[in-house]
Structure formats: structure tokens, C-alpha cells
């Protein structure tokens, strides 16, 4: 049996790079029109009512009526849905004018667009963000020192990953948007462009807080850049002004107080607060995929406290190593470990919250081949995780396997996912072993000196 010539396949991919990109874009656009997840109903509703109620009354708890759920996302997300609503109206009105004035124009396009175009357009920002992430993956790999071929192949691997296009083009979630802003922010941080980087990261958090887990990493690397105090202050001022201007339509001069209230009283407090929200992680392995409050007790302390403590411990390890080495590769590894630790160890995780893992993991796999298998395994596991409960498109055999024996399959997949996490943590600790050994020796020496 002949061996597969991966080098030849890679050369073919690179030679057809632009055509493959166009094909992947077309593929996503087709999927955007086919599938409709229930979450899009909220996005449709919020986009329409943004203009009906106006920004100042949009989050009003008593005066507004919602067809599905109240807006539980920050203003940045609402701006995206409101913009898509306007784009839809412009496109549909254009189609209507063409239909009236050109007799040969097929009217079925207008009727089809009336019911299907808006939900498809709602997926467009995430679809475009997929390609934005792929672009910065290639740019970061080039920064680290790899050649253009590896950079392009890695970007294609990301775009071909079923987890990525299932999330954006099939489900229509916004994870790609915030991850695009985050990876762009860290790219510019690597390039020593602090102001651009900070502004992108601020907007990322303004759209969704899920990547606030990167804040300590960002601070460590930004401080390590040793900019002048004036540069830090100007950057902070620009970010504050930008957020103030974005929030002004909602709250006028009371923007920051209002924004704090929105995040604390609405966005963060009105969450499920369960042990696992269908995430195949540590807690799914231990407790199964069942909706149980994370305030339940597990060996004296609540599941939530255990999750926070374990995540904090992993973050301390990452922070110590990052302070020692803020090179591009070390930064990407820190993003990978923190993202993976958050998904695997924290409670209340949704299946989609593993998305941030695939961005740095794709970069690392492009740099170091031993990570390729972990990328493939995690992609397969998470694809099943995304499919679990939604069952779209429905395949009866898979549904039966995933649901049978008190959902044993998700539990086993969680164990496999946990094993990959431990393997990556082991590699990370081994790579940083000399530094940790040095710290241990120094600590013991100081401890001995104090005893004397």
C-alpha cells in the first residue's frame, strides 16, 4: 500500500490557495441559507426591535415586549444585529425595485429572500470573521518564523475544520467575531502596536465578555513591552473614549455606570449557573450531561468553587512561565492553555466555549507537528459536542448512540477530551521544566535560609 504524499497534497493546496478560499466562502454562504438554529430567532428579534424601541429604551425591563428572550448580550452584540437588519432592508428593497421594474426578474427570489435572507445575513459577520482569524493565524505563524507555505496551510486547516464552519455558517453563533478581534489584538501586541491592539481587545469585550479570561495574559505581555507611561495612558484614554461613544446612545453621559449595570445585573447574572451546559469537560465526565446547579456540593465545596480553584491554579502556572518568556510562541501557548483550562475546568461551560482553543491550537500545530493529532481529536470530539442536543441535521443512529445508557457517550467523549487536555498540560510543563525547577530550587534555598 502506497504512503500518502502529504507534501504533494500541501503543494496542491498552496497552488490553488485563492480558489480554495473562494470555495470555502461559497460553501459557508450556501450553508447559511439551509440551516436555522433557534438562537437566530433572538437575533432577528433584537435587530428589529433595536429600531422600534431605540437604544435608550432597548434594555428597559418593563416597557418592552420580546418575541423570544430579553436581550442578554452586551451592546456591542446588539449593534451587530442592528446593522445586519439595515443591510437586509437595503438588499430586500433593492430586490423589490428590480422585481417591479424588470419583468424577466424571477419573483420567487423576492419571496424566498423575505423569509430566508435575514437569518442568512445574520451569519455573515461570523463567516467573514472565520476568514479574518485564518488571516491572522497565517500572519502570526510568519512572525514566529515559519515559511509562507506553512502559514497558508495552517489558515486552510482552520477554515476546513468542521467545528469552525458548523459554528458560524450552520449555527450562526458570534464566537468567531470575538475570537477574530482577540487574535487580531494579540497580533498587533506582538507587533508592538499597543493602541491598535488595546482598542481591538476593548471592542472584543464590548461585544462579549467570554474572552475576559485573556486579560491577565494581555496585561503581562503589554507591560513587558516597556512602553513609556505616556503611551499606556494615551492608549487607555482612547479605549475609554471609544467605549463611551459606543455606549452614549444607550445611556448618554451615564455610560460607564449604565454599562457596568448591564454586565453585572443582566449579562452575567442571568446565566444558567449549571455544572456543565452541554460542554464535554471534566464535570461532564464526573457528573454526566445533566442540568444541575453548580452550587451543588462536591467534597465540602461547591462545583463552582472547585472549578474556579482549578482554573486559577492552571492560570498561575501559565502566568509564571509567561513572565519569564513573552516570546510569540510562548504567548500563543499561554492562550492555548488558558482557553483549554477554562473550558475543561470551569463550570457553566457551553459546548461553543471551546472555540478559543482552536485558534492557538491551529497555530501551534503549524509550528510543531506533534500537536496535529490533538487538533484532529479535539475537532472530532467538539463536532459531536456541538451536534449533541441540537441534532441538526438529524442522523438517528448518532442520536441513539449519544442519548443511550444515560448519555454514556458524552461522558466517554469528555474523558477523551480531558485526556488531550492533560497531555497538552504535560507538554507545556515539560517545555517549561527548567524554569520551574529553577524556581523550586530558589524557593527551597530561601526557605532553608529563613529556618537558619
Amino acid at each position: 500500500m502506497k504512503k500518502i504524499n502529504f507534501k504533494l497534497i500541501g503543494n496542491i493546496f498552496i497552488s490553488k490557495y485563492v480558489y480554495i478560499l473562494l470555495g470555502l466562502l461559497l460553501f459557508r454562504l450556501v450553508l447559511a441559507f439551509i440551516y436555522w438554529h433557534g438562537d437566530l430567532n433572538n437575533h432577528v428579534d433584537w435587530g428589529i426591535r433595536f429600531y422600534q424601541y431605540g437604544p435608550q429604551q432597548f434594555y428597559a425591563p418593563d416597557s418592552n415586549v420580546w418575541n423570544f428572550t430579553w436581550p442578554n448580550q452586551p451592546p456591542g452584540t446588539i449593534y451587530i444585529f442592528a446593522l445586519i437588519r439595515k443591510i437586509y432592508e437595503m438588499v430586500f428593497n433593492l430586490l423589490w425595485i428590480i422585481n417591479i421594474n424588470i419583468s424577466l426578474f424571477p419573483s420567487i427570489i423576492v419571496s424566498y429572500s423575505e423569509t430566508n435572507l435575514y437569518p442568512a445575513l445574520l451569519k455573515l459577520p461570523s463567516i467573514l470573521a472565520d476568514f479574518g482569524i485564518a488571516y491572522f493565524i497565517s500572519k502570526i505563524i510568519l512572525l514566529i518564523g515559519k515559511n509562507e507555505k506553512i502559514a497558508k496551510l495552517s489558515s486552510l486547516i482552520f477554515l476546513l475544520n468542521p467545528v469552525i464552519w458548523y459554528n458560524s455558517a450552520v449555527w450562526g453563533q458570534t464566537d468567531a467575531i470575538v475570537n477574530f478581534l482577540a487574535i487580531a489584538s494579540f497580533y498587533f501586541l506582538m507587533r508592538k502596536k499597543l493602541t491598535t491592539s488595546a482598542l481591538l481587545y476593548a471592542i472584543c469585550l464590548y461585544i462579549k465578555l467570554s474572552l475576559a479570561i485573556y486579560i491577565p495574559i494581555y496585561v503581562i505581555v503589554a507591560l513587558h513591552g516597556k512602553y513609556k507611561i505616556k503611551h499606556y495612558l494615551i492608549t487607555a484614554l482612547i479605549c475609554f473614549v471609544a467605549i463611551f461613544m459606543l455606549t452614549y446612545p444607550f445611556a448618554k453621559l451615564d455610560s460607564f455606570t449604565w454599562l457596568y449595570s448591564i454586565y453585572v445585573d443582566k449579562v452575567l447574572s442571568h446565566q444558567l449557573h449549571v455544572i456543565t451546559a452541554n460542554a464535554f469537560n471534566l464535570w461532564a465526565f464526573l457528573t454526566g450531561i445533566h442540568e444541575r446547579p453548580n452550587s451543588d456540593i462536591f467534597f465540602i465545596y461547591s462545583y463552582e468553587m472547585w472549578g474556579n480553584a482549578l482554573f486559577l491554579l492552571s492560570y498561575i502556572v501559565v502566568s509564571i512561565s509567561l513572565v519569564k518568556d513573552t516570546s510569540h510562541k510562548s504567548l500563543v501557548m499561554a492562550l492555548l492553555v488558558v482557553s483549554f483550562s477554562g473550558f475543561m475546568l470551569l463550570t457553566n461551560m457551553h459546548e461553543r466555549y471551546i472555540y478559543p482553543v482552536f485558534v492557538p491550537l491551529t497555530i501551534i500545530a503549524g509550528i510543531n507537528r506533534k500537536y496535529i493529532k490533538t487538533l484532529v481529536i479535539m475537532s472530532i470530539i467538539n463536532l459531536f459536542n456541538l451536534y449533541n442536543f441540537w441534532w441538526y441535521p438529524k442522523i438517528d443512529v448518532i442520536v441513539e448512540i449519544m442519548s443511550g445508557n444515560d448519555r454514556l457517550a458524552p461522558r466517554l467523549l469528555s474523558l477523551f477530551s480531558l485526556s488531550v487536555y492533560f497531555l497538552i498540560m504535560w507538554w507545556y510543563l515539560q517545555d517549561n521544566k527548567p524554569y520551574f525547577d529553577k524556581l523550586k530550587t530558589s524557593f527551597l534555598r530561601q526557605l532553608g535560609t529563613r529556618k537558619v
Side-chain angles (χ1 to χ4, degrees):
M1 185 176 180
K2 292 183 178 180
K3 291 184 178 180
I4 299 174
N5 192 333
F6 288 105
K7 187 176 182 180
L8 177 62
I9 293 173
N11 290 333
I12 294 172
F13 268 74
I14 296 304
S15 65
K16 305 294 183 182
Y17 185 71
V18 175
Y19 297 105
I20 295 172
L21 287 179
L22 292 174
L24 290 171
L25 176 60
L26 179 61
F27 173 66
R28 282 166 162 79
L29 293 177
V30 170
L31 288 178
F33 280 92
I34 296 175
Y35 299 107
W36 180 315
H37 191 281
D39 288 349
L40 289 181
N41 292 324
N42 290 322
H43 305 168
V44 168
D45 194 29
W46 297 343
I48 293 171
R49 295 184 186 275
F50 176 84
Y51 299 101
Q52 292 180 352
Y53 298 144
Q56 283 191 279
Q57 296 300 316
F58 185 79
Y59 285 96
D62 302 321
S63 59
N64 297 347
V65 176
W66 304 98
N67 288 340
F68 299 96
T69 61
W70 57 272
N72 59 354
Q73 296 298 328
T77 301
I78 306 305
Y79 272 129
I80 294 172
F81 299 148
L83 175 62
I84 295 300
R85 177 64 192 180
K86 279 301 175 188
I87 292 174
Y88 163 72
E89 290 176 354
M90 291 170 59
V91 173
F92 184 76
N93 288 337
L94 178 61
L95 290 173
W96 184 257
I97 292 171
I98 294 173
N99 184 56
I100 292 174
N101 292 280
I102 301 176
S103 58
L104 293 177
F105 187 79
S107 298
I108 192 173
I109 293 178
V110 177
S111 58
Y112 180 82
S113 299
E114 189 173 11
T115 55
N116 295 279
L117 180 61
Y118 188 17
L121 284 175
L122 282 167
K123 299 177 183 180
L124 185 60
S126 294
I127 290 172
L128 296 178
D130 282 348
F131 289 83
I133 294 171
Y135 170 78
F136 282 109
I137 284 174
S138 66
K139 297 294 285 185
I140 290 172
I141 288 176
L142 288 173
L143 272 183
I144 291 173
K146 295 297 179 179
N147 60 46
E148 187 176 0
K149 179 181 175 181
I150 293 176
K152 286 184 175 180
L153 277 174
S154 298
S155 66
L156 288 178
I157 288 170
F158 178 81
L159 290 172
L160 286 165
N161 191 332
V163 167
I164 304 306
W165 52 258
Y166 192 93
N167 184 292
S168 59
V170 178
W171 196 330
Q173 282 295 340
T174 57
D175 299 274
I177 300 172
V178 290
N179 278 273
F180 161 68
L181 291 167
I183 199 64
S185 171
F186 280 105
Y187 168 75
F188 286 110
L189 192 60
M190 294 175 187
R191 293 285 308 275
K192 304 295 182 182
K193 296 183 178 181
L194 179 63
T195 303
T196 303
S197 170
L199 187 58
L200 286 168
Y201 191 43
I203 295 173
C204 169
L205 298 181
Y206 191 72
I207 294 174
K208 206 167 187 178
L209 267 181
S210 57
L211 296 185
I213 58 172
Y214 290 159
I215 290 176
I217 294 176
Y218 190 93
V219 170
I220 291 171
V221 178
L223 291 177
H224 196 270
K226 297 180 181 178
Y227 302 92
K228 292 181 180 179
I229 297 296
K230 180 181 178 181
H231 198 166
Y232 287 115
L233 293 175
I234 291 174
T235 296
L237 179 62
I238 290 173
C239 290
F240 274 108
V241 170
I243 298 302
F244 176 81
M245 291 177 65
L246 287 169
T247 311
Y248 185 82
F250 290 91
K252 302 302 180 183
L253 295 177
D254 198 31
S255 291
F256 288 108
T257 303
W258 178 88
L259 192 61
Y260 176 81
S261 175
I262 286 295
Y263 276 109
V264 174
D265 299 333
K266 291 185 178 291
V267 176
L268 295 176
S269 62
H270 289 76
Q271 299 296 325
L272 290 175
H273 298 292
V274 291
I275 296 174
T276 177
N278 190 37
F280 292 178
N281 58 10
L282 168 65
W283 307 115
F285 168 63
L286 293 177
T287 67
I289 300 291
H290 302 289
E291 192 169 307
R292 292 173 51 191
N294 56 10
S295 56
D296 283 359
I297 301 301
F298 179 69
F299 288 110
I300 303 175
Y301 301 107
S302 68
Y303 283 95
E304 183 180 19
M305 290 183 66
W306 278 110
N308 292 340
L310 291 171
F311 177 67
L312 179 61
L313 179 62
S314 69
Y315 217 125
I316 290 172
V317 172
V318 171
S319 299
I320 291 173
S321 61
L322 191 60
V323 168
K324 178 262 303 186
D325 177 15
T326 56
S327 65
H328 301 332
K329 183 179 178 182
S330 179
L331 171 56
V332 175
M333 279 302 304
L335 294 175
L336 170 59
V337 173
V338 166
S339 301
F340 215 163
S341 296
F343 180 79
M344 294 304 303
L345 304 177
L346 291 173
T347 60
N348 204 40
M349 287 289 106
H350 291 269
E351 61 283 286
R352 297 177 290 103
Y353 291 176
I354 198 175
Y355 190 105
V357 169
F358 292 104
V359 181
L361 184 54
T362 303
I363 296 172
I364 294 299
I367 299 167
N368 190 333
R369 289 186 178 182
K370 76 178 182 180
Y371 285 89
I372 293 177
K373 289 182 179 179
T374 61
L375 174 60
V376 172
I377 292 170
M378 287 311 304
S379 298
I380 294 171
I381 292 174
N382 190 237
L383 187 59
F384 278 106
N385 200 171
L386 292 171
Y387 184 74
N388 193 53
F389 286 142
W390 187 25
W391 314 127
Y392 212 90
K394 191 173 183 180
I395 304 171
D396 292 333
V397 174
I398 298 179
V399 174
E400 290 177 10
I401 293 172
M402 297 293 289
S403 304
N405 299 311
D406 193 28
R407 304 193 180 276
L408 178 61
R411 215 160 182 165
L412 292 175
L413 288 170
S414 299
L415 176 60
F416 292 142
S417 183
L418 191 61
S419 301
V420 174
Y421 169 69
F422 284 142
L423 178 62
I424 288 179
M425 281 298 297
W426 172 253
W427 286 341
Y428 185 75
L429 291 172
Q430 287 298 109
D431 289 342
N432 291 275
K433 188 176 184 297
Y435 180 63
F436 287 120
D437 286 343
K438 187 178 179 180
L439 283 178
K440 179 182 176 182
T441 302
S442 177
F443 175 76
L444 291 174
R445 187 183 297 118
Q446 289 183 8
L447 188 65
T449 303
R450 288 179 182 178
K451 286 182 178 180
V452 173

